[in-house]
Amino acid sequence: MFSQFRRSFIPTCSQLSSMILSENSAFMTVGYCNMASDFRINEFTDKYLNRRKAEFTEKLEIFSPFQQATIPIYRVTNSEGQFIDPNYDFDFSKEMAVKMYKYMVTIHEMDKILYDSQRQGRISFYLTNTGEEAAQIGSAAGIHDDDLMYGQYREAGSLLYRGFSIEKFMHQCYGNAKDIGGGKQMPIHYGSSEHHFVTISSPLATQLPQAVGSAYAFKREKNGRIVLVYFGEGAASEGDAHAAMNMASTLKCPVIFFCRNNGYAISTPTTEQYGGDGIGGKGIGYGIHVIRVDGNDLIAVYNATKAAREIAEQNEPVLIEAMTYRLGHHSTSDDSSAYRHSEEVNTWHQKDNPIVRFRIILENKGWWSNEEDITYQKNIRKEVMEAFLNAEKVPKPNILSMFDDVYKEMPKILQEQRDELVEHLNKYGKYYPMKNFEGS
Amino acid sequence: MATTRLIMKSVRSLGKIPIRYSSDIAFVPSQADPSFGESSKMNLCQAINNAMDIAMESDSSACLFGEDVAFGGVFRCSVGLQNKYGKDRVFNTPICEQGIAGFGIGLAVCGSTAIAEIQFADYIFPAFDQIVNEAAKYRYRSGNLFNCGKLTIRTTWGAVGHGALYHSQSPEAYFTHTPGLKVVVPRGPIQAKGLLLSCIRNENPCIFFEPKLLYRTAVEDVPVGDYEIELEKAEIVKEGKDITVVSWGTQLHVALDAANVAEKEIGVNCEVIDLRTLLPWDVDMIAKSVNKTGHLIITHEAPLTSGFAAEISSKIQERCFLRLEAPISRVCGWDTPFPHIFEPFYLPTKWRIVETIKKLIDFQY
């Protein structure tokens, strides 16, 4: 009997003991968890997530990049040049609108003449702006004339809008004695301190963190200026793009990042460039304001840039991704039919041409006519051709200027090298193309 | 990269773990030009700090930025400067060397004086494209429409006893092959302060390498006022008639040590020259010295092949052919990555220099 009692007691005791332990454990866990969450939520919110509200979750969920809403494409007009909102308050003055249109046509005509001149071997290289005129003119118009611009290479329209003369474009492409760059860079590497357009260089994306540094200088000077920096969607894959956006965000710089997403980096389509929500999708990750815009809609680009400038002025960086299409070859060294069908190009050309879209708007307003268009195209072609032919007659710079501006002053060793070349040319000059250069 | 540096910092902060130093350098103090005025005892990092203090005091556009500079820097070169000049002028950047260099270029393009810090010279390579393709070519490619002359990149440099592959490098030769840059290396506090102020005020992009082994160990009476030491000018640190020895940075002191040993043990009288600026360098002073002594040894910590000694050798051979009594010798780091436990055997020690001095003096043809 006693034996039986003892045998039944032991399990009961074990069970009871287990219950007590379990209860204690649960109690302590709950209490500890509440206390810990309180302090950590504040830490994470204030410091780790830049004042974005932190919260815990017990739901195991890994976020898919397709789960986030795609950034929409802001536009004012459709491809046929019709306002989406019939009551849209189009507040451009006639003068401004016609001027913007003329700049787009001018760039287009200049492109045709210079492209052909390269095919004829008269200049060494050229790169057209075809299809991206609205993105250039609209963005340039959306900021102030003394805002600083950094370019990639397909932004000649922005510089033209700033007042850079057709003659100066020609001189740079020829690298003649009137080239303010001194004939040192390949064609289309324009620059102008007078027009606040920093001289272009070939290495991709290097201008992005530079633009951020310049913007920081403006912020410190409190001069009210901002920086606008252009780049293509291919350049956005460079490490410098990551550097720039992160620094613009942490150092709170008055800069607009303007990305021309034209679908291709030479032969590489965007499907092989990135897997995310374009370039705009990266901005949020850095804590940068973002807008995606129809790059072929001049009004939309202008509005977006103008609004972005107001934000940038408050020392907050903004990223604008302008969706457009590269109608031309990448450059004169590229035949784009090798990697994209002409049907694709023709479709964009015929159905969504930025110049045509804006012309329709002007015509519907009664600000422009077919006759005026024909006349302007003829006149500007003549003007461009005249500037082209004049530039071709200008001699190349003095040979010895190739030694200038390596440093602010010329070091002795470089003076010696220059003198060495002088002595050499005095003896062997007949074997060099001396006659094309000034002072020979 | 960041992890490696964090480990480095952790090791240094654990005071109880003894740090093994296998490089024994006998720092040789210099005397400052008396015209520079009143002096105070400073080590190298204090002299650097003082130089930046003076630069920022005298130029309201000057900014100092980089990784960890706000709290004083991992070598303490920027201690107190954020407090004194504000968070907008002395500030941390994200951990990204190409960003630091590009940002600095942008500041300088707009006329601000940019003092960028790269935490170790070993990590300057992510910024190589910005430095070589951009900073160096900015003025030239724009026809002088734009420039980034007000950029100075300062970075720690050279062996430190235990730095191994990524905390010991001497990358100056990569940059001396780049027209448009100035490359400067001081040997001690007096030189560092004067040369750094010259770099900051120079209107060309400058790279300033700071020998980190000397940050705390090199102490001199440094003039407290504002003074500059001329760039592109070498200095004869010890006069001699038998052989010329050229070096820079920490290795300059090894050369001096070797010169003393050679004098006592071999009876050779060495002239020791601190090159100071490597690009553009002072050809004339070296040539003049070699025309006097007839012998040349160049010594640097960096690997032999394509080290800057090669440039000096070639130019002096061209200039002093008729005067050279023996082949020009280079005593340098071996052509290996910089090793951890083998540091004593890697470095071009004073004994290797002494041996070479003997070989040159005994040279028969």
Side-chain angles (χ1 to χ4, degrees), chain A residues 336-364:
Chain A
S336 63
S337 67
Y339 50 82
R340 63 180 181 177
H341 204 280
S342 58
E343 186 178 344
E344 176 184 304
V345 180
N346 290 337
T347 299
W348 275 95
H349 184 74
Q350 289 161 18
K351 295 191 174 182
D352 192 46
N353 186 291
I355 299 179
V356 173
R357 282 173 72 168
F358 198 64
R359 182 168 73 236
I360 290 169
I361 293 166
L362 295 184
E363 285 172 352
N364 288 344

Side-chain angles (χ1 to χ4, degrees), chain A residues 74-356:
Chain A
Y74 167 65
R75 66 173 179 169
V76 172
T77 65
N78 61 22
S79 294
E80 291 77 40
Q82 309 297 320
F83 289 95
I84 306 299
D85 175 1
N87 301 312
Y88 177 81
D89 179 21
F90 180 47
D91 61 354
F92 283 24
S93 67
K94 173 182 174 179
E95 181 192 19
M96 176 184 174
V98 170
K99 183 173 84 162
M100 291 168 93
Y101 176 73
K102 283 179 172 178
Y103 279 132
M104 287 200 283
V105 172
T106 302
I107 281 292
H108 189 65
E109 290 301 322
M110 199 166 78
D111 275 355
K112 283 194 283 186
I113 287 167
L114 286 169
Y115 184 89
D116 286 346
S117 75
Q118 194 282 334
R119 303 280 81 165
Q120 296 161 23
R122 293 159 94 166
I123 61 172
S124 62
F125 177 83
Y126 194 70
L127 192 151
T128 66
N129 300 270
T130 315
E132 298 179 46
E133 299 92 344
Q136 297 172 12
I137 300 297
S139 53
I143 59 175
H144 298 176
D145 284 344
D146 66 340
D147 288 336
L148 187 65
M149 279 179 172
Y150 279 85
Q152 176 164 310
Y153 44 56
R154 218 184 292 277
E155 296 95 17
S158 302
L159 185 50
L160 181 70
Y161 189 87
R162 280 288 173 87
F164 199 70
S165 70
I166 293 168
E167 286 78 11
K168 282 197 171 98
F169 281 112
M170 300 297 166
H171 296 323
Q172 196 283 326
C173 287
Y174 269 105
N176 63 29
K178 291 188 176 179
D179 171 17
I180 58 178
K184 292 179 169 130
Q185 293 212 82
M186 284 171 72
I188 64 83
H189 289 70
Y190 310 116
S192 174
S193 50
E194 175 193 348
H195 301 97
H196 309 292
F197 190 97
V198 180
T199 304
I200 287 169
S201 74
S202 308
L204 291 177
T206 50
Q207 78 278 17
L208 279 97
Q210 292 171 22
V212 176
S214 293
Y216 190 84
F218 288 169
K219 172 169 111 159
R220 285 207 62 236
E221 288 167 34
K222 295 183 169 68
N223 56 19
R225 299 171 73 192
I226 65 117
V227 179
L228 187 142
V229 55
Y230 292 101
F231 58 107
E233 87 288 347
S237 295
E238 291 277 3
D240 275 341
H242 163 75
M245 293 195 200
N246 199 31
M247 290 181 86
S249 185
T250 63
L251 298 173
K252 297 176 174 29
C253 301
V255 61
I256 297 174
F257 295 103
F258 192 99
C259 177
R260 295 178 293 92
N261 190 339
N262 63 13
Y264 286 92
I266 307 185
S267 71
T268 304
T270 46
T271 49
E272 293 169 12
Q273 196 69 247
Y274 51 74
D277 178 16
I279 307 307
K282 301 180 198 237
I284 298 294
Y286 291 111
I288 290 174
H289 299 269
V290 179
I291 184 168
R292 178 172 282 151
V293 65
D294 181 346
N296 289 355
D297 182 341
L298 178 60
I299 302 168
V301 173
Y302 171 80
N303 289 350
T305 307
K306 195 156 182 278
R309 193 195 186 283
E310 285 170 15
I311 294 172
E313 201 170 54
Q314 311 303 315
N315 296 322
E316 298 202 19
V318 187
L319 169 61
I320 300 175
E321 183 183 11
M323 310 298 268
T324 183
Y325 185 80
R326 198 192 76 209
L327 286 178
H329 300 301
H330 168 73
S331 72
T332 47
S333 310
D334 174 57
D335 176 3
S336 63
S337 67
Y339 50 82
R340 63 180 181 177
H341 204 280
S342 58
E343 186 178 344
E344 176 184 304
V345 180
N346 290 337
T347 299
W348 275 95
H349 184 74
Q350 289 161 18
K351 295 191 174 182
D352 192 46
N353 186 291
I355 299 179
V356 173

